[in-house]
Amino acid sequence: QSALTQPPSASGSPGQSVTISCTGTSSDVGGYNYVSWYQHHPGKAPKLMIYEVSKRPSGVPDRFSGSKSGNTASLTVSGLQAEDEADYYCSSYAGRNNFVFGTGTKVTVL
Amino acid sequence: EVQLVESGGGLVQPGGSLRLSCAASGFTFSSYWMHWVRQAPGKGLVWVSRINTDGSSTSYADSVKGRFTISRDNAKNTLYLQMSSLRAEDTAVFYCVRGFSNAFDNWGQGTLVTVSS
C-alpha cells in the first residue's frame, strides 16, 4: 500500500493550465479505472473533483479534467483561477477493497 | 444536504484507546459504503478503513490492521472507528467519508486525535 507519487508542487498564472501527474503501479492506477482527484483547502473538508478517471461530479467546473495512461493518471486545471490554489490529491482503488492516496501536490496561482 | 459530523477525538496516551463516531444525515446511510481517512499534521491524506453497506465486510490499511475496528449502526445513521494500541504516528485529523464508485464524494470536517504522553 505505497502512496501514489505526485509532484510536490505545480504553478501557473491566472488563465493558464496546470497538469498534475499521479503515478502508481499495475496493482492500482494501471489496474482499475477508479482514479479520483480531490481539492483540499487547508482547514476545510476535501472536495471530490474527478472520479472514474475522467468523470466530473455535478457542480465541478469543466475546467477540471482527468485522464489516465498506463500506470499514470493526470489532472488538468485549465483557465487557472485564484480559488484553484489548493492541495490536490489523487486516489486509486487498489484491489481487495483497499484504496490508496497520492502524496499530494500544492498548486500555486502566481 | 449530506452532512457527516465526526466526534470523539482528543488527547490520548500512547497505548491507549479511543472511539470516533460519525453522525450521518441528508442521505440514505445504509445504502453507502463508508470510509475513514486521516491526515497527520503537515502530511497528506491516507486511507484508513472502509465498511460495506450492512457492515458485513471491512478492510484496513496495513498500518492500522489489528488495532483499529470500523463498524456502523444503520439504525442510528452512525459510523464508528474503535482505535486501540495508539501510537504517536496515529496523531492526525480523522475524516468520515462517504464512498461513491470507489471514490470519496462527501467528507466531514474531521476530528483531531493526538497521541502523546
Side-chain angles (χ1 to χ4, degrees):
Chain A
Q1 292 180 341
S2 298
L4 308 175
T5 301
Q6 297 180 233
S9 62
S11 62
S13 299
Q16 289 187 331
S17 295
V18 65
T19 296
I20 304 166
S21 61
C22 168
T23 301
T25 69
S26 58
S27 296
D28 38 62
V29 174
Y32 308 94
N33 287 322
Y34 288 121
V35 175
S36 50
W37 290 90
Y38 303 86
Q39 179 188 67
H40 190 200
H41 289 105
K44 292 195 168 184
K47 178 183 177 183
L48 175 66
M49 305 303 285
I50 296 286
Y51 68 101
E52 291 182 16
V53 177
S54 60
K55 296 180 179 179
R56 276 187 311 276
S58 173
V60 173
D62 60 7
R63 301 186 294 105
F64 292 85
S65 62
S67 63
K68 189 186 87 167
S69 178
N71 296 336
T72 298
S74 298
L75 173 73
T76 298
V77 185
S78 305
L80 266 175
Q81 298 181 4
E83 58 262 36
D84 298 334
E85 185 161 297
D87 297 322
Y88 290 82
Y89 293 89
C90 61
S91 178
S92 176
Y93 179 68
R96 293 187 297 173
N97 296 318
N98 291 315
F99 299 81
V100 60
F101 279 94
T103 50
T105 298
K106 182 176 180 59
V107 169
T108 301
V109 180
L110 302 171
Chain B
E1 179 195 4
V2 173
Q3 283 203 319
L4 298 167
V5 180
E6 304 93 339
S7 60
L11 176 64
V12 61
Q13 292 189 337
S17 299
L18 207 58
R19 188 177 84 156
L20 305 183
S21 299
C22 170
S25 61
F27 66 103
T28 305
F29 180 70
S30 59
S31 296
Y32 288 84
W33 283 19
M34 296 296 297
H35 302 259
W36 289 99
V37 175
R38 69 183 178 183
Q39 183 175 35
K43 303 294 186 181
L45 300 173
V46 176
W47 175 79
V48 173
S49 181
R50 70 97 224 178
I51 188 168
N52 69 344
T53 54
D54 65 3
S56 62
S57 173
T58 59
S59 54
Y60 300 90
D62 288 344
S63 58
V64 307
K65 205 171 291 183
R67 300 188 299 123
F68 290 11
T69 301
I70 190 172
S71 62
R72 66 192 297 162
D73 186 333
N74 285 343
K76 294 183 178 179
N77 290 340
T78 302
L79 176 72
Y80 302 100
L81 185 68
Q82 178 68 48
M83 304 184 294
S84 61
S85 302
L86 283 162
R87 308 164 180 166
E89 54 265 36
D90 294 317
T91 294
V93 173
F94 282 75
Y95 294 99
C96 168
V97 190
R98 190 177 80 168
F100 168 73
S101 190
N102 289 324
F104 312 102
D105 72 340
N106 280 274
W107 298 63
Q109 288 297 318
T111 186
L112 176 63
V113 172
T114 302
V115 184
S116 175
S117 54

